[in-house]
Amino acid sequence: QVQLVESGGGLVQAGGSLRLSCAASGRTFSSYVCGWFRQAPGKEREFVAAINRSGSLTYYPDSVKGRFTISRDNAKNTVYLQMNSLKPEDTAVYYCAADLMRVERSPEKYDYWGQGTQVTVSS
């Protein structure tokens, strides 16, 4: 089992950048695939990025491709989401997720979740 704690959210102007971090407990973090999701008020949870166990493969939806970068440091039990060129429509609560199975884009496929961190992008 793994516990996840996100940090790094905040208020930023459009065009700005933020880096989210997700710290994981446990000694087997490298066994988990990880993902970032976001949820805006009144909307469903949305896939943002995912990364495989070694960090060699990453996945993004078109809405963030070229602006967001997911990475991980297994020695530090941490996964990151670098967000550049932020837009007001990126405003949401961002969640880190992990799972022992393969990388998926559907939030229902992930067993472990953090508590979320708010990202607000002003226009």
Side-chain angles (χ1 to χ4, degrees), residues 95-108:
Y95 297 91
C96 175
D99 200 81
L100 287 170
M101 302 303 286
R102 61 188 179 190
V103 171
E104 296 281 357
R105 295 173 181 249
S106 173
E108 291 79 14

Side-chain angles (χ1 to χ4, degrees), residues 38-57:
R38 66 187 181 188
Q39 189 165 19
K43 294 188 176 182
E44 294 185 349
R45 194 162 294 190
E46 176 188 19
F47 170 69
V48 174
I51 191 166
N52 68 344
R53 292 172 180 79
S54 67
S56 61
L57 295 174

